[in-house]
Amino acid sequence: FKNYGIKDGLNDNNVQAVIRDDRGLLWVGTDFGVSWFDGKRFYRPQIKTNIGQFYVTGFYKDRNGTIWILTFFNGIFKYQNGCFTNYPVDKQLNDDAANYVSDMIQVSTNKYIVVSDGSPYLFDGQKFSVFDPANPILKRKTNSVSQFPDGTIIFSTDNGVFLYRYDNVGVKLIDNVLKTMQTSKILITEKQLWALTGNGLLSFENAGIRPFYNPPQNYLPKRKIRDLTADINGAIWAFTDNGTMWSLTD
């Protein structure tokens, strides 16, 4: 292992997110912006911010390979044709929290869902609109968004999981499952569905939208899990705040 940091040209040592683009460049997001790494050296792309610190919370690569930067104070940035374009959720910049983006997915050719300050928005590439104004829990307690292969949208919230359909007609609430359970992330693999909750990892057999109705297995109960991911071999990795990593395999 080789350690890289400020001494090597990285803009800050606190790394929040990493992604690789279709050119092979590694994007590194920190508390103070973005660095590109080509395997030999770091580069700092010129990105103009509108307010506050350029704090990167994540990256997202859409179906076209376009890289989006998620930030704490400045909404989202799109990188296309060598240029960065900024899209703040609150264009008036009246509330820094309104431009805190924590998650993002693409749901159709020109439609995205962006989670900002605990509320999901539909984003058409230019403007934002509240995803479901009729759901007060979704508007203030949403932690992440994911999607089943059949298009069903999954919102993880402080009050369970909400399942939605979205099409040209509009949005439709299908169900609210794991009610009252704080859920921060849903991970879908070929065989299983994993729910990161306030009381460990729940594992369901993957069967479309039906897995939530089957009894789950609970792994790592009462442990504070920060994040989880699946590797190419199918192993599930769970990460804690104290640096511990857990590997969950068959």
Side-chain angles (χ1 to χ4, degrees):
F1 289 93
K2 175 177 171 52
N3 175 250
Y4 293 91
I6 291 177
K7 60 181 174 57
D8 304 291
L10 186 63
N11 59 34
D12 189 64
N13 285 332
N14 291 326
V15 176
Q16 302 295 339
V18 176
I19 198 170
R20 188 179 300 277
D21 66 21
D22 291 343
R23 301 170 296 171
L25 283 178
L26 195 69
W27 294 54
V28 183
T30 74
D31 292 2
F32 290 94
V34 174
S35 292
W36 287 336
F37 184 62
D38 63 5
K40 296 181 179 180
R41 57 170 294 193
F42 288 96
Y43 303 83
R44 297 187 186 183
Q46 296 299 310
I47 307 174
K48 182 181 178 181
T49 59
N50 291 303
I51 188 173
Q53 180 179 335
F54 190 12
Y55 190 115
V56 177
T57 58
F59 294 111
Y60 178 70
K61 182 161 68 172
D62 68 19
R63 300 171 188 174
N64 298 318
T66 300
I67 298 292
W68 297 80
I69 307 170
L70 286 56
T71 75
F72 200 100
F73 299 106
N74 288 273
I76 55 178
F77 290 82
K78 179 182 182 180
Y79 181 71
Q80 191 173 44
N81 299 324
C83 298
F84 290 92
T85 305
N86 181 219
Y87 300 95
V89 179
D90 175 16
K91 290 186 177 181
Q92 303 302 316
L93 303 178
N94 292 321
D95 184 359
D96 291 351
N99 291 310
Y100 162 43
V101 176
S102 57
D103 205 2
M104 177 178 181
I105 65 167
Q106 185 175 5
V107 292
S108 65
T109 303
N110 297 309
K111 291 283 188 178
Y112 302 83
I113 295 176
V114 175
V115 178
S116 179
D117 191 28
S119 179
Y121 295 83
L122 277 172
F123 176 62
D124 64 3
Q126 294 295 326
K127 62 182 183 297
F128 297 86
S129 58
V130 176
F131 183 82
D132 183 4
N135 188 336
I137 294 176
L138 210 64
K139 287 171 62 177
R140 65 177 184 272
K141 294 184 177 181
T142 300
N143 299 311
S144 67
V145 58
S146 50
Q147 192 172 28
F148 281 117
D150 69 357
T152 301
I153 298 167
I154 313 163
F155 292 106
S156 305
T157 78
D158 287 352
N159 291 83
V161 173
F162 288 86
L163 305 175
Y164 277 85
R165 290 285 187 184
Y166 169 73
D167 54 30
N168 294 330
V169 177
V171 300
K172 179 181 179 181
L173 176 63
I174 300 174
D175 205 351
N176 175 205
V177 296
L178 304 182
K179 294 180 180 179
T180 73
M181 183 175 291
Q182 190 275 334
T183 308
S184 56
K185 184 175 182 177
I186 298 294
L187 176 67
I188 302 169
T189 65
E190 183 178 350
K191 296 180 180 180
Q192 295 166 302
L193 181 146
W194 296 83
L196 177 53
T197 76
N199 187 31
L201 298 177
L202 301 185
S203 173
F204 302 82
E205 287 193 19
N206 191 353
I209 67 170
R210 306 305 303 176
F212 290 110
Y213 307 106
N214 300 322
Q217 289 183 282
N218 192 348
Y219 295 88
L220 306 176
K222 299 182 180 179
R223 294 186 183 275
K224 188 174 182 181
I225 309 299
R226 180 178 181 180
D227 201 1
L228 75 160
T229 189
D231 66 25
I232 60 175
N233 297 315
I236 302 299
W237 292 85
F239 307 91
T240 67
D241 284 337
N242 65 4
T244 302
M245 297 190 301
W246 297 83
S247 176
L248 306 173
T249 64
D250 291 339

